[in-house]
Amino acid sequence: MQVKNTKQRKHIISILKDASRPMSINEIYDAIISELPRIAKSTIYRNIDQLFEQDLIEKHHFNDNEIFYLYKENNDEHTHFIICDECKRTYSLPSCPIHEIEDYIKAEGFTIKNHQIQITGICKSCAYNHLKK
Amino acid sequence: MQVKNTKQRKHIISILKDASRPMSINEIYDAIISELPRIAKSTIYRNIDQLFEQDLIEKHHFNDNEIFYLYKENNDEHTHFIICDECKRTYSLPSCPIHEIEDYIKAEGFTIKNHQIQITGICKSCAYNHLKK
DNA sequence: GTAAGTGCAAAATGTTTGCATTTCT
DNA sequence: AGAAATGCAAACATTTTGCACTTAC
């Protein structure tokens, strides 16, 4: 099945590429609607599904039901992030912790397709600000 | 606000306590329906919300929208899970990969409050079923 | 007795699907 | 021209809400 490079698709990709953080369907929709006022949300769903199938984007779950999508190219070195609950700044991890247990998982006959890590807490500078108060 | 120990609540808690893996709303519903045929799903939603507020259960997201709930008491040893994209069965990890990098994170002055891991893929038996076809 | 919780139905959300039409190639 | 994608509306699925009734305390 051949993928066609429609203007809707181009817009969606360009929005995801420009984003420095994972975006939800609604955020993508809001970002695109001014340029393509007639775009249907189903078009975004279908494109997102396709981009995921093509392994061009990754899914990120944060708090609740909403799923956020990140263009993989923007996460080349396979970085994971820790997020400060207060200032929402992200800090990257020096390595992928999953790597450590990959062999075990493989040995169990499980093939990893995807993985995600969320670490939240309080960063150094927010903790410091607390002390000052 | 006082929490009442209704039979619905007791059943939900007992199902979660008996479960060795995180369960979805539908799984809880299916497990309970034979004993309480008139229970409404909204009752389960409301109880789950309450249990979460009370910090008795934790939420686990895997790849798609469904959220799975695990009784905290059952996860004392701090287990993480991997889930098969196909059969949705969960398998537990032998150790917490975050532990490995905890020292690094602490050294950076970051205090971890919470963390989550999602690993998805295809399990041994689903892969085997593919081969047979 | 009273506040909290339940069941039910309806509403609100979020996602998917069918189909006629349009757009890429 | 033909396959793939779109927009729209309707279908589906999931979660939340309003309300009269029931239950735990």
Side-chain angles (χ1 to χ4, degrees):
Chain A
M1 201 219 257
Q2 194 201 336
V3 172
K4 288 188 176 173
N5 208 19
T6 64
K7 65 174 186 296
Q8 291 85 342
R9 188 164 205 269
K10 280 184 231 163
H11 270 85
I12 292 168
I13 292 175
S14 120
I15 283 166
L16 288 170
K17 278 193 177 172
D18 289 349
S20 56
R21 61 188 183 77
M23 295 185 81
S24 69
I25 296 286
N26 285 328
E27 287 172 337
I28 296 167
Y29 183 76
D30 291 344
I32 216 171
I33 195 76
S34 59
E35 304 211 34
L36 298 178
R38 313 210 59 137
I39 196 171
K41 260 190 195 169
S42 54
T43 299
I44 298 176
Y45 278 106
R46 284 190 273 227
N47 273 286
I48 286 291
D49 282 354
Q50 196 190 50
L51 291 170
F52 186 73
E53 288 304 315
Q54 295 177 299
D55 213 34
L56 291 174
I57 58 176
E58 50 192 34
K59 297 186 186 184
H60 287 249
H61 293 266
F62 295 103
N63 291 325
D64 284 309
N65 299 9
E66 224 167 2
I67 302 174
F68 294 78
Y69 303 91
L70 184 66
Y71 207 75
K72 280 204 169 179
E73 211 174 74
N74 294 0
N75 196 13
D76 256 355
E77 301 121 41
H78 186 80
T79 306
H80 290 290
F81 298 93
I82 59 184
I83 302 136
C84 177
D85 281 333
E86 288 207 9
C87 62
K88 307 295 174 193
R89 253 185 299 231
T90 56
Y91 300 83
S92 52
L93 294 183
S95 63
C96 172
I98 301 301
H99 199 67
E100 309 286 329
I101 51 164
E102 228 173 338
D103 287 346
Y104 169 86
I105 295 172
K106 275 183 196 155
E108 295 289 303
F110 195 98
T111 309
I112 298 178
K113 282 267 182 75
N114 219 320
H115 71 268
Q116 264 193 68
I117 295 169
Q118 286 97 42
I119 300 175
T120 61
I122 305 293
C123 74
K124 196 177 198 166
S125 72
C126 285
Y128 179 67
N129 290 340
H130 284 184
L131 287 179
K132 284 198 300 187
K133 277 178 203 157
Chain B
M1 203 219 257
Q2 195 201 335
V3 173
K4 287 188 177 172
N5 209 19
T6 64
K7 64 175 187 296
Q8 291 85 343
R9 188 164 204 269
K10 280 184 229 162
H11 270 85
I12 292 169
I13 290 175
S14 120
I15 284 167
L16 288 170
K17 277 192 176 172
D18 289 349
S20 56
R21 60 187 184 79
M23 295 185 80
S24 68
I25 296 286
N26 284 328
E27 287 171 339
I28 297 167
Y29 182 76
D30 291 345
I32 215 171
I33 195 76
S34 60
E35 305 212 34
L36 298 177
R38 315 208 58 137
I39 196 172
K41 261 190 194 168
S42 53
T43 298
I44 299 177
Y45 278 107
R46 284 188 273 226
N47 273 287
I48 287 291
D49 282 354
Q50 197 189 50
L51 293 170
F52 186 73
E53 289 303 316
Q54 296 177 300
D55 213 35
L56 291 174
I57 57 175
E58 51 192 32
K59 295 187 186 184
H60 288 249
H61 296 264
F62 298 102
N63 228 355
D64 44 35
N65 301 7
E66 224 166 1
I67 301 174
F68 294 79
Y69 303 92
L70 184 66
Y71 206 73
K72 279 202 168 180
E73 212 175 73
N74 292 2
N75 199 13
D76 264 355
E77 303 123 40
H78 188 79
T79 307
H80 290 288
F81 298 90
I82 60 184
I83 188 168
C84 176
D85 281 334
E86 287 206 9
C87 63
K88 308 293 176 195
R89 252 186 300 236
T90 53
Y91 301 84
S92 53
L93 294 183
S95 63
C96 172
I98 301 301
H99 199 67
E100 307 288 329
I101 51 163
E102 228 173 336
D103 288 345
Y104 167 87
I105 295 172
K106 274 183 194 154
E108 295 288 304
F110 195 97
T111 309
I112 297 178
K113 281 268 182 75
N114 219 322
H115 70 270
Q116 255 196 72
I117 295 170
Q118 288 95 41
I119 300 176
T120 63
I122 304 293
C123 74
K124 199 177 196 165
S125 73
C126 285
Y128 179 67
N129 289 341
H130 284 184
L131 287 179
K132 285 197 301 189
K133 278 176 201 157

